[in-house]
Amino acid sequence: MVIILLNLKAYEQGIGEKAEELARIAGELAESSGSRIIISPQATDIASLSKNIETFSQHVDSSPMGAQTGSILPESAKAAGATGSLLNHAERQISEEEIKSGIERLTALGMESMVCASTPELAAKYAEYNPTYIAIEPPELIGSGISVSTANPDIVTNSIEQVKAVNPNVKVVCGAGISTGEDVRKAIELGSEGALAASAFVKAENPRAVLEDLIGGLK
Ligand code: G3P
């Protein structure tokens, strides 16, 4: 099933009660459309949002449980209700070793992993570690309002080709600048198994209308 992942990042419109309202809207539209919509909030909001919508953490650390302080553990994200996590987002990059151990840890907990990559070559490298998803996101288009599926379709098709050659089990999604249903439709046409969006939804005057439009692109 194709997905839309909505990353709330650290936008002021996506924190606390405002995040709960966005999750309520997304939950209603996920249900009425029968689509898989996932919200990725800050870790502190996972528990409250998970009542209304499927959630992924924005990041998890690879630190062990026990006597250490300040980390976001996969176990904690799961306990709060998350079903998976982003790893290595362009705005929260980690080492290759941490990517590998993060995927292993999430998989062992029965959670999904979505590893972000900036190039098809990195996408193929991370596919060796068997994440659930690779998300191809060219950093220069993030937050631009110019969709990767229109501005750089080759990066999407090349990533899909290279990832599937390494590991056909890994699903490839794309993000950066995705703002409309048409952007989603083009992404799916290119072979993407979903789309990631942030600013167009979180910062919208009417997030419900934006999400309805994005979901329309899945059909
Ligand atoms: O995680 C998704 C994100 O990086 C894309 O951001 O604002 O271009 O939709 P945006």
Side-chain angles (χ1 to χ4, degrees):
M1 187 179 199
V2 289
I3 62 162
I4 294 178
L5 184 139
L6 302 163
N7 183 357
L8 304 189
K9 302 198 174 184
Y11 287 121
E12 63 170 310
Q13 299 94 329
I15 294 174
E17 286 179 4
K18 293 176 182 168
E20 284 178 23
E21 175 59 14
L22 292 174
R24 199 179 54 73
I25 292 168
E28 284 170 12
L29 293 179
E31 191 162 331
S32 60
S33 66
S35 308
R36 187 176 180 205
I37 311 294
I38 301 168
I39 285 213
S40 193
Q42 297 204 20
T44 43
D45 286 323
I46 290 173
S48 60
L49 269 59
S50 295
K51 293 176 199 143
N52 286 317
I53 186 84
E54 182 174 1
T55 59
F56 271 24
S57 186
Q58 293 181 3
H59 164 80
V60 284
D61 290 298
S62 45
S63 357
M65 285 194 283
Q68 53 87 26
T69 302
S71 301
I72 303 169
L73 301 184
E75 289 79 2
S76 317
K78 182 175 179 173
T83 57
S85 182
L86 290 168
L87 284 174
N88 197 46
H89 191 279
E91 295 150 2
R92 188 64 175 89
Q93 292 180 52
I94 55 178
S95 70
E96 206 177 319
E97 192 45 49
E98 287 171 313
I99 293 172
K100 185 170 179 286
S101 64
I103 294 168
E104 284 169 2
R105 185 105 159 252
L106 289 162
T107 305
L109 288 164
M111 298 172 78
E112 295 188 356
S113 50
M114 183 179 286
V115 177
C116 300
S118 56
T119 66
E121 292 70 29
L122 287 171
K125 182 187 278 241
Y126 302 151
E128 289 174 22
Y129 305 136
N130 206 30
T132 320
Y133 292 97
I134 294 282
I136 183 78
E137 290 206 317
E140 67 279 9
L141 293 176
I142 292 177
S144 69
I146 300 167
S147 171
V148 59
S149 53
T150 305
N152 197 347
D154 288 353
I155 199 173
V156 179
T157 50
N158 289 340
S159 298
I160 295 168
E161 199 179 299
Q162 294 197 35
V163 165
K164 297 292 181 184
V166 170
N167 186 341
N169 296 324
V170 178
K171 298 173 195 161
V172 182
V173 297
C174 67
I178 291 189
S179 312
T180 66
E182 181 61 14
D183 297 337
V184 173
R185 192 183 61 73
K186 282 191 188 145
I188 305 295
E189 263 176 25
L190 293 169
S192 178
E193 292 170 82
L196 279 77
S199 48
F201 171 67
V202 185
K203 295 167 78 181
E205 272 185 30
N206 187 343
R208 178 184 292 271
V210 169
L211 185 53
E212 273 171 349
D213 187 32
L214 293 174
I215 290 172
L218 294 174
K219 308 290 174 203

